[in-house]
């Protein structure tokens, strides 16, 4: 993706962004889910990990056999399902955001250095990127988690340390183009330090491209966490990860299918909204440049 | 072309070596292999004896060279749990996984190419938007959830198809749909982009001006040119199918390589894990190399730039 220096004033760009439907819809849904996740303790009186054996597998409000107060029913241990879904959003978002922060730091650093210096440095970093791309993501993540043990921290770290490739690729290409731009030449001539040139001159100008990658990787990280937890090698019980809820619910899905439809729908809604937001951002940033 | 080929081969070999170092670190450094081999009741002296017997007390570089030699002679070690040779365990299951991956990629192509062409033929209309929406949805739906929902609808409610195992072709239908949906969006987007490019090109305009039927232009000239990049992406996506099969095989209880991997991960059977990671990585490397070569063969600009 080529993103030369953006010359447009900021307010105009953000106002233009609001005219992009997918950005508004996607961003709105993401914002709603984030607010619901933050306000989870206020929105529900239940504890996500508190079993209630007397009220196991009660149905959601649109079915028979319901219990007042449990709007989306209870799971196989009698835990309120709505509560677990709300707290599950926290896990998805926190793991996703932290993992993307880690991978963005790694990828952007590698990309900036490779793109700015070129030559041998670029060849070495290019090789590292190629190596990372030739390793199957899910398998490597599972192998590391199998050794280190599954927990919120390991899963976040493993995902963060694995999904930096697109950040590196995009930053490298964008930096290669920015490298010969006049403003970088000027900063060099003024004797600015290298960190200053990379962080203050080049980085802000390649930010649009990086933000788009970040949204894609956020959705990726959330799906990867769900997959790891679903396979039993991610977030561990009793934490309410959506992937883990799917894995626990699948044993009861023949009689209580909502146990797997609900967490899955949450997952799809969140990742679809993030992708939509990313698509909208891409369009908004592209048209903003013209 | 020869120079390009040689260059790519060297890089691929170097990447393969690096991957083997990583799997070596996973199986020999990140865990203590002697402790893993030893039974739970083993004393420190037993573990020390095992360490000497298996050569785990040698310097790491020496151990790595031994490991590399074993891989070259296709000796992938023995499973901690069953004591079987890992190479045999994997070879037994490769056909099932390969079959699932081939079916899935064919399913993805059968969906992606017509939809991509359709979207490109009517750009920025409702049809185009609907196709793109399908792509966005396909990307957002986790394949294990798609698998569970397919089981619920076609296996439990309608009772049309079997939901677990791999004993007949019917068993592959639902897993193929679940896994193929995952590869479809990328292939569709690329087909659409390629078609849009080709349809806007001068030679298509010339053909149009010459009064050729739109359908002839679309299929004879448009598709054949637009599909070239799709072929190389298909090679890469096929690699993803192999990696993604671990999730689908565990959902549908298909006893392929992915299922073996999942079992080994849950029981920390390190020799099997490192062998599968290594082999799937090698498959990725070969497929990526193939994709690069296909691209270069079709586009002379790439090979002269290298």
């Amino acid at each position: 993706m080529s993103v030369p220096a953006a010359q447009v004033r900021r307010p105009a760009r953000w106002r233009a962004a609001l005219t992009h439907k997918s950005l508004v819809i996607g961003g709105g849904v993401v914002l709603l889910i984030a607010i619901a996740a933050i306000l989870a303790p206020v929105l529900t009186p239940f504890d996500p990990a508190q079993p209630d054996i007397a009220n196991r597998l009660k149905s959601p409000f649109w079915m028979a056999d319901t219990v007042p107060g449990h709007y989306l029913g209870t799971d196989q241990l009698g835990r309120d399902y709505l509560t677990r879904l709300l707290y599950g959003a926290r896990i998805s978002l926190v793991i996703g955001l932290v993992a993307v922060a880690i991978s963005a730091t790694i990828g952007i650093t590698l990309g900036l250095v490779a793109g700015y210096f070129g030559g041998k440095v670029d060849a070495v970093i290019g090789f590292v990127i190629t190596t990372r791309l030739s390793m199957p993501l899910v398998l490597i993540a599972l192998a590391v988690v199998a050794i280190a043990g599954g927990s919120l921290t390991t899963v976040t770290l493993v995902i963060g340390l694995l999904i930096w490739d697109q950040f590196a690729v995009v930053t490298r290409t964008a930096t290669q183009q920015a490298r010969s731009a006049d403003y970088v030449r000027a900063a060099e001539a003024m004797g600015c330090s290298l960190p200053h040139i990379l962080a203050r001159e080049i980085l802000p100008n390649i930010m649009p491209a990086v933000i788009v990658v970040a949204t894609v990787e956020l959705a990726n990280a959330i799906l990867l966490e769900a997959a790891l937890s679903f396979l039993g090698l991610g977030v561990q019980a009793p934490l309410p990860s959506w992937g883990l809820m799917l894995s626990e619910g699948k044993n009861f899905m023949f009689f209580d299918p909502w146990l797997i439809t609900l967490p899955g729908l949450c997952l799809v809604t969140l990742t679809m909204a993030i992708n939509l937001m990313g698509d909208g951002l891409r369009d908004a940033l592209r048209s903003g440049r013209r | 072309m020869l120079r390009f080929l040689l260059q790519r081969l060297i890089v691929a070999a170097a990447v393969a070596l690096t991957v083997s170092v990583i799997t070596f670190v996973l199986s020999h450094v990140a865990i203590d292999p002697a402790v893993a081999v030893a039974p739970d009741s083993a004393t420190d002296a037993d573990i020390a004896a095992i360490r000497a017997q298996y050569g785990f007390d040698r310097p790491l570089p020496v151990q790595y060279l031994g490991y590399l030699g074993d891989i070259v002679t296709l000796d992938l070690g023995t499973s901690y749990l069953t004591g079987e040779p890992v190479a045999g365990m994997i070879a037994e299951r490769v056909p099932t996984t390969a079959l699932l991956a081939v079916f899935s990629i064919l399913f993805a192509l059968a969906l992606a190419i017509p939809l991509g062409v359709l979207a490109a033929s009517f750009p920025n209309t409702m049809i185009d938007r609907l196709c793109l929406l399908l792509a966005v949805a396909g990307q957002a739906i986790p394949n294990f959830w798609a698998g569970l929902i397919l089981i619920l609808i076609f296996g439990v409610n309608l009772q049309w198809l079997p939901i677990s195992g791999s004993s007949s072709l019917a068993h592959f239908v639902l897993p193929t749909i679940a896994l193929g949906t995952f590869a479809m969006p990328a292939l569709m987007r690329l087909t659409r982009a390629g078609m849009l490019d080709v349809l806007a090109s001068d030679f298509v305009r010339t053909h149009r001006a010459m009064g050729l039927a739109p359908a002839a232009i679309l299929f004879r000239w448009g598709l054949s040119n637009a599909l070239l990049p799709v072929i190389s992406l298909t090679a890469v996506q096929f690699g993803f199918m192999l990696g993604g099969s671990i999730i689908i095989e565990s959902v549908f209880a298909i006893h392929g390589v992915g299922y073996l991997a999942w079992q080994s991960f849950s029981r920390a059977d390190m020799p099997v894990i490192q062998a599968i990671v290594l082999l799937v990585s090698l498959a990725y490397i070969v497929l990526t190399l193939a994709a690069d070569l296909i691209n270069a063969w079709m586009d002379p600009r790439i090979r002269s730039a290298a």
Side-chain angles (χ1 to χ4, degrees), chain A residues 145-159:
Chain A
V145 174
I147 292 169
S151 76
L152 202 79
T153 325
T154 24
V155 171
T156 314
L157 270 176
V158 168
I159 296 174

Side-chain angles (χ1 to χ4, degrees), chain A residues 127 133-136 139-140 142-143 147 223 226-227 230-231 233 246 253-254 257 260-261 264-265 267-268 271-272, chain B residues 14-15 18 22 26 31 139-140 142 144-145 148-149 151-152 156 246-247 250-251 262 265 270 277 280-281 284-285:
Chain A
F127 181 76
L133 284 174
S134 49
M135 305 187 72
L139 283 180
I140 293 286
L142 285 171
I147 292 169
L223 286 180
F230 177 75
L231 290 172
L233 287 153
L246 282 171
M253 70 181 210
F254 298 116
I260 59 155
T261 42
L265 280 177
L267 209 48
V268 173
T271 43
M272 219 165 143
Chain B
V15 170
T18 315
I22 294 172
L26 281 180
I31 59 160
Q139 264 170 344
F144 51 93
W145 188 62
L148 293 176
I149 295 298
I151 288 178
L152 270 183
V156 180
I246 179 172
I247 296 168
S250 79
V251 170
W262 179 57
F265 284 125
M270 221 49 220
V277 170
V280 176
S281 302
Y284 264 44
I285 294 170

